[in-house]
């Protein structure tokens, strides 16, 4: 038998009946090996689904217990010769019949569960692992050499760096127990070295539950895109214009959006750029009362002469971390956005439009009261897209 736990082919006498080692291991060691890891997880408070994978350490001991069960059934069927059973041959045969059915059902259940799990792993897209190959490929194609990559869960390091071979350095952060001061200091250093940051968010509910890394990036950089690649969020930030990290308005507006929201002012990184560059926009919002409705900010880039929109950026304020329902009365909410001018954009003059719309209905835009009347999209600035090389 396997591992000395099955009956012997010679004389039908189980080897464990003569030596007792394999049977003793299965009887005493296997239950301990099965239960101790589970109890430790319970004692340490690691019982959430994210930690279930660590129960794999119990799997070999569980298999030993199954083997022991089959061994007992086989020994009983052979006439109850196993001394530790203390059964007559008739009792042994009855035990063998009942135990055989029980073990067959349990084994079939295990095989069915294992087969279903393997089928999900290999053929069910819902269970596929994160596609780090695609993310690394996009960074290789799009990222400037001075960009950096942030992993918001340090245990992504091995799998991501397996695919990432570019010159862009990778920063696993937070390290150790997340602390606001340590995260702030490290991200300040990282942002000072890179004009663009690619952030990969996965498992932050466990590793960075207060979202210190994402909050810092949304407060000090300009989010240009935010998308899901399977269960991983892939976010791009622009940090090139250091002046934009200040909280000083470039233009005071005091325009009413709807009944309760005011755009106190805004600041732009520049109004002349080439295709492929990013317009960095800082908005300063305020409300006089607590809001019950969530709104999204939209920025649209359209040709001044008319025509189809060439660029767009939509998100809730603060990189989705400062929904309007969290604004406190009279608080000035600093809201940063990065709008990419697509590489195929022809040179010319464009208008940057700003507005707010209901989170659940993009067509329900808040009216904006201006000196010229009520509109649903504010012409925030004129952007000159220059020919390449200028």
């Amino acid at each position: 038998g396997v591992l000395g736990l099955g009956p012997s082919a010679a004389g039908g006498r189980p080897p464990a009946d003569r030596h007792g080692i394999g049977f003793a291991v299965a009887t005493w060691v296997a239950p301990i090996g099965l239960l101790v890891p589970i109890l430790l997880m319970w004692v340490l408070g690691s019982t959430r689904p994210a930690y279930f994978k660590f129960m794999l350490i119990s799997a070999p001991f569980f298999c030993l217990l199954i083997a022991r069960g089959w061994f007992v059934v086989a020994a009983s069927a052979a006439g109850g010769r196993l001394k530790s059973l203390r059964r007559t041959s008739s009792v042994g045969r009855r035990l063998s019949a009942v135990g055989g059915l029980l073990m067959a059902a349990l084994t079939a259940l295990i095989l069915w569960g294992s087969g279903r799990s393997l089928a999900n792993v290999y053929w069910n897209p819902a269970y596929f692992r994160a596609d780090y190959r695609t993310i690394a490929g996009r960074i290789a194609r799009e990222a400037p050499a001075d960009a950096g990559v942030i992993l918001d869960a340090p245990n992504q390091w091995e799998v991501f760096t397996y695919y990432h071979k570019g010159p862009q350095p990778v920063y696993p952060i937070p390290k150790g127990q997340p602390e606001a001061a340590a995260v702030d200091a490290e991200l300040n250093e990282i942002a000072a070295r890179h004009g663009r940051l690619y952030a990969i968010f996965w498992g932050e509910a466990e590793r960075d539950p207060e979202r210190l890394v994402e909050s810092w990036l949304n407060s000090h950089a300009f989010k240009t895109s935010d998308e899901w690649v399977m269960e991983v969020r892939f976010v791009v930030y622009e940090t090139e214009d250091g002046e934009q990290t200040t909280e000083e308005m470039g233009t005071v507006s005091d325009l009413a959006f709807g009944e309760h929201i005011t755009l106190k002012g805004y600041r732009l990184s520049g109004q002349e750029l080439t295709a492929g560059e990013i317009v960095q926009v800082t908005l300063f919002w305020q409300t006089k009362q607590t809001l019950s409705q969530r709104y999204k900010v939209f920025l649209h880039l359209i040709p001044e002469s008319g025509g189809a929109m060439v660029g767009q950026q939509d998100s809730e304020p603060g990189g989705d971390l400062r929904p309007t329902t969290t604004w406190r009365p009279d608080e000035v909410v600093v809201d940063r956005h990065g709008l990419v001018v697509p590489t195929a954009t022809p040179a010319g003059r464009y208008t940057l439009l700003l507005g707010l719309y209901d989170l659940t209905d993009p067509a329900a835009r808040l009216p904006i009261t201006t000196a010229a009347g009520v509109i649903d999209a504010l012409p925030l600035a004129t952007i000159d897209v220059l020919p390449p090389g200028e």
Side-chain angles (χ1 to χ4, degrees):
V2 178
L3 298 177
L5 299 180
S8 170
R13 191 173 183 81
D17 193 19
R18 291 175 296 185
H19 305 294
I21 298 175
F23 193 78
V25 168
T27 302
W28 302 108
V29 177
I32 294 174
L34 175 66
L35 295 175
V36 167
I38 298 174
L39 289 174
L40 283 175
M41 291 176 65
W42 179 75
V43 169
L44 296 173
S46 304
T47 55
R48 293 185 294 276
Y51 295 99
F52 287 172
K53 59 187 177 183
F54 298 117
M55 293 177 65
L56 283 174
I57 195 173
S58 297
F61 301 101
F62 183 69
C63 292
L64 284 174
L65 284 177
I66 296 297
R68 180 196 184 280
W70 278 114
F71 174 54
V72 170
V73 170
S76 300
R81 293 180 179 177
L82 185 63
K83 293 179 181 179
S84 62
L85 289 177
R86 308 294 185 185
R87 298 287 188 271
T88 64
S89 296
S90 60
V91 173
R93 284 191 290 272
R94 288 196 296 272
L95 177 63
S96 177
V98 175
L101 290 174
L102 179 61
M103 292 306 302
L106 184 58
T107 303
L109 182 63
I110 293 170
L111 292 175
W112 174 80
S114 299
R116 184 177 179 184
S117 296
L118 289 171
N120 284 333
V121 167
Y122 288 104
W123 295 294
N124 188 343
Y127 290 86
F128 288 174
R129 297 297 301 271
D131 191 2
Y132 289 100
R133 184 199 304 270
T134 293
I135 295 174
R138 282 192 50 185
I139 293 175
R141 292 190 304 271
E142 302 172 5
D146 69 339
V149 181
I150 291 176
L151 304 179
D152 194 27
N155 58 350
Q156 297 177 95
W157 172 271
E158 291 81 3
V159 63
F160 178 73
T161 54
Y162 177 83
Y163 297 108
H164 176 67
K165 305 301 180 183
Q168 299 81 12
V170 180
Y171 302 97
I173 180 174
K175 299 174 182 176
Q177 189 67 26
E179 295 182 0
V183 168
D184 182 85
E186 186 167 3
L187 285 173
N188 266 307
E189 293 180 5
I190 293 171
R193 292 194 290 266
H194 304 286
R196 184 172 299 177
L197 293 172
Y198 294 85
I200 300 173
F201 295 103
W202 175 83
E204 65 268 21
E206 295 291 338
R207 190 65 189 87
D208 184 14
E210 295 182 26
R211 303 179 81 169
L212 297 176
V213 172
E214 187 172 5
S215 296
W216 191 97
L217 290 169
N218 288 338
S219 299
H220 297 79
F222 297 82
K223 181 188 290 187
T224 64
S225 66
D226 186 342
E227 60 186 286
W228 287 93
V229 180
M230 299 179 69
E231 73 270 27
V232 174
R233 279 178 59 223
F234 183 46
V235 186
V236 183
Y237 292 92
E238 187 77 6
T239 65
E240 190 170 273
D241 190 342
E243 293 183 2
Q244 289 299 302
T245 60
T246 67
E247 298 190 0
E248 298 179 1
M249 298 182 198
T251 302
V252 177
S253 56
D254 279 323
L255 293 175
F257 283 62
E259 296 181 5
H260 307 297
I261 297 176
T262 300
L263 178 67
K264 300 296 293 181
Y266 58 91
R267 184 184 184 95
L268 272 68
S269 59
Q271 295 175 239
E272 289 187 351
L273 63 164
T274 58
E277 293 185 326
I278 294 171
V279 182
Q280 299 177 357
V281 182
T282 305
L283 306 171
F284 299 83
W285 302 104
Q286 191 176 60
T287 179
K288 291 296 183 182
Q289 67 177 53
T290 301
L291 302 171
S292 59
Q293 181 61 51
R294 291 170 63 176
Y295 297 98
K296 268 194 169 184
V297 178
F298 70 83
L299 289 167
H300 293 170
L301 192 64
I302 62 172
E304 192 175 64
S305 58
M309 178 174 58
V310 299
Q312 177 179 2
Q313 210 269 5
D314 292 49
S315 71
E316 290 190 79
D320 294 326
L321 294 186
R322 288 303 313 271
T324 50
T325 51
T326 68
W327 294 2
R328 297 184 297 274
D330 296 325
E331 173 192 14
V332 176
V333 178
V334 182
D335 179 26
R336 295 179 172 84
H337 299 264
L339 175 65
V340 179
V341 179
T343 55
T345 303
R349 179 158 288 189
Y350 295 81
T351 300
L352 181 64
L353 298 178
L354 166 70
L356 291 171
Y357 63 81
D358 189 317
L359 179 68
T360 61
D361 183 7
R365 297 181 177 181
L366 283 182
I368 306 166
T369 303
T370 70
V374 178
I375 54 179
D376 65 0
L378 175 68
L380 199 65
T382 298
I383 305 296
D384 290 318
V385 177
L386 306 176
E390 290 193 13

